[in-house]
Every structure is written in C-alpha cells, then in structure tokens.
Amino acid sequence: MKILVPIKRVVDYNVKIRVKSDQSGVELANVKMSMNPFCEIAIEEAVRLKEKGIATEIVAVSIGPMQAQETLRTALAMGADKAILVQTDAAPEPLAIAKILQKLVAQETPQLVILGKQSIDGDNNQTGQMLSALLGWGQATFASKVEKDGEELKVTREIDGGLETLSVKLPAIVTTDLRLNEPRYASLPNIMKAKQKPLTTVTPADLGVDITARITVLKVSEPPVRKSGIKVKDVAELVDKLKNEAKVI
C-alpha cells in the first residue's frame, strides 16, 4: 500500500505570534519555522504502518516556498521514502491545496492519504474533507487510532460524546488528531540519509492548478487584552456584580 502524506511548514508552536505593524498578516521574518504538529503525527502514523508491513512506500508532499524543502527533509528523516515540493510563494487556500493534491494523487496513485486535521496557522480544518469530495474517496477525520482490517481501515475517531469507530474502504482519506501517536525524533544517521532521498520540485502551473485567492484578508489584529479578575468578599457581592455590572443574571 502506498501512502501520500501532505505536510505544511508553519511557525513553530513554541513561538509567540506577532502581528505586523501594518496589520497585513503575521510576522514571519526571522521566525523559527517547523512542521505542523498534526502533520508530524500523520508522518509518524504512515511510518508505523510501513514498519508493520502494511505500507510499502511513503510520499511526503508540501506546498510552499523553497524553504519548505527543510520540512520535507525532516519528513524523509522520520521515514518517508521520497518527497515532492509544490513550490509557490503564495499561501494557497484549502480548496487550491486540495486540487493540487488531487493532481498528485492521480500521478502517484496512493491507496491512502494521511494528513493532519488542520494546520496551527490557519486552523481551517478543510483540506482533507475537500480532497475526499474531489476524489470521491471515503474519509475518516480526527483519527485517534488506525488499524488495517482486510481491504478496509478501521478508524477510531474522537467525537463530543466519546469515541466513534468507522470502517472505511480503500482508497481513503484519513485526518489525524493529537492522540493518534507521539511522533519520533529524527536520528542523526537518518537525517544524513534523508539528504540522499529523492526530492522533486514542481509548481502549481505544472500541475494545471489555479491558486488565485478567493478570499481577501482585510486586517489581522491582536486579540483584546483580557481584563484582570477581582476578588469579592461574599456571595452577596458576587451576585450584585453579576447582576449590575456583568448583567448576566
């Protein structure tokens, strides 16, 4: 079974986000970038499936600037077999990303696409579902456990009421949740080996995909500063403030 794993280069989750002075976006200059945490989980799950003998090849894909090659090399060091960079300096919207992935699926013919449920920058949670619709494949989102069951996958997913287990026929789309696994650290020998693994670069135009934005960002601003709390002497004062100041009762 061949697995395609889309990954994204984002601002490292430990970095405090700063908004540009002109409010046109988030400051990215001289900021540490890394692989989206949900994408790390997707790569790890693909590698585990290969270690179990279920998967035969893992293809990592990233859509972004030339610097995204570093992110792909990390995926190769974790265990992916080859990588594809769809190079663009634009920030494609989820539908454009899904269309690019649709073209790559047609080229690479994987039986499974595993991707993070969302990226921590846009938080859109749309690409996996859109790709499923474009391909006409079954999908299992927010996976916390993935098992092979004959010609199907048994996927446990987290819902508000607890856990739900689905059976999805291959080929399929699976999006990963945080509790699916704990990604491994790439060892130094594997980092060195990753430099020898194939990494192909194409552009959206090469794939025949128009990535023109359909949404215009008007302004990006910091969230309002939260006011500090106060202490009250007794229940009577609490009720008074809730009633007369907060006006919630």
Side-chain angles (χ1 to χ4, degrees), residues 16 98 164 177 179-180 186 221:
K16 180 175 173 57
E164 179 182 55
D177 213 337
R179 278 163 287 279
L180 178 58
S221 58

Side-chain angles (χ1 to χ4, degrees), residues 49-69:
L49 289 172
K50 186 178 179 182
E51 290 172 344
K52 292 176 183 176
I54 297 172
T56 55
E57 185 181 10
I58 301 169
V59 182
V61 178
S62 190
I63 303 166
M66 184 62 72
Q67 294 90 327
Q69 284 190 1

Side-chain angles (χ1 to χ4, degrees), residues 7-20 25-40 62-63 65 67-68 70-71 91 118-123 220:
I7 62 176
K8 189 175 183 181
R9 176 178 180 264
V10 299
V11 176
D12 189 90
Y13 68 92
N14 289 310
V15 173
K16 180 175 173 57
I17 298 298
R18 292 180 293 114
V19 174
K20 292 181 179 179
V26 171
E27 186 61 66
L28 299 179
N30 301 315
V31 173
K32 181 184 178 184
M33 308 291 283
S34 61
M35 190 188 303
N36 178 51
F38 290 103
C39 299
E40 284 186 319
S62 190
I63 303 166
Q67 294 90 327
E70 301 170 13
T71 310
Q118 64 194 74
S119 60
I120 60 172
D121 51 2
D123 271 341
V220 177

